[in-house]
Amino acid sequence: HVTIVPYFTVPEGKMDEFKRGFAAFYEGTKAGTDECLYYGFCVCGDKVFCREGYKSAAGVLAHLGDVKAPLDAAVALVGEGGLDLSVMGPAAELEKLKEALGPLGTTFWATDGANIMYPHRFSSGRLSASPRFLVFAPRIPCPHASTCT
């Protein structure tokens, strides 16, 4: 699957405004692509993280359309340098995303091919209100400008 790892650094005094946009993101996501596996926001200090995963690059591209207006507003609010975006997945899927996500300064991380996913361990139902799993997303500096393998 393809994981998107966006970290937004919200300017001082703008967090409430940023968080008001969550509803539009959730609305677009719930009404959007069936390829979304999980989606949700986390806040720590001046940082907002959205944990999200999709079955394929096609799902990511569909999602970008589903949340275009709130995403454009969020990127504008944080300004230049306020979005740190990484995308992880199979190399072939990442290639399909470079045109759309490359201009955002995205770092693309190709999975090694031995990844394991246990879909039966996800809660039943689409976009459960209370997913019962954690995402461990360490931030490791990538020595390459745009692609890590």
Side-chain angles (χ1 to χ4, degrees), residues 1-129:
H1 82 288
V2 179
T3 302
I4 300 178
V5 184
Y7 286 90
F8 297 91
T9 300
V10 180
E12 188 173 338
K14 300 284 187 175
M15 185 59 77
D16 287 342
E17 180 181 352
F18 193 95
K19 289 167 71 174
R20 279 193 297 272
F22 287 3
F25 277 105
Y26 285 124
E27 187 177 300
T29 301
K30 288 177 183 177
T33 180
D34 286 338
E35 289 232 347
C36 184
L37 299 171
Y38 52 89
Y39 189 86
F41 287 97
C42 310
V43 178
C44 182
D46 68 344
K47 305 276 191 258
V48 175
F49 168 69
C50 185
R51 64 182 195 157
E52 49 189 302
Y54 303 87
K55 293 178 185 177
S56 69
V60 171
L61 294 171
H63 173 73
L64 292 174
D66 297 338
V67 298
K68 182 176 181 358
L71 180 59
D72 287 348
V75 171
L77 191 144
V78 300
E80 189 174 335
L83 172 62
D84 179 6
L85 181 60
S86 291
V87 179
M88 293 91 171
E93 295 299 298
L94 297 181
E95 283 301 318
K96 299 171 190 175
L97 297 172
K98 288 183 178 179
E99 183 177 335
L101 296 177
L104 295 173
T106 305
T107 301
F108 296 93
W109 300 75
T111 52
D112 68 5
N115 294 268
I116 301 168
M117 186 167 178
Y118 301 99
H120 64 281
R121 294 183 182 174
F122 282 85
S123 60
S124 62
R126 183 172 177 263
L127 294 175
S128 169

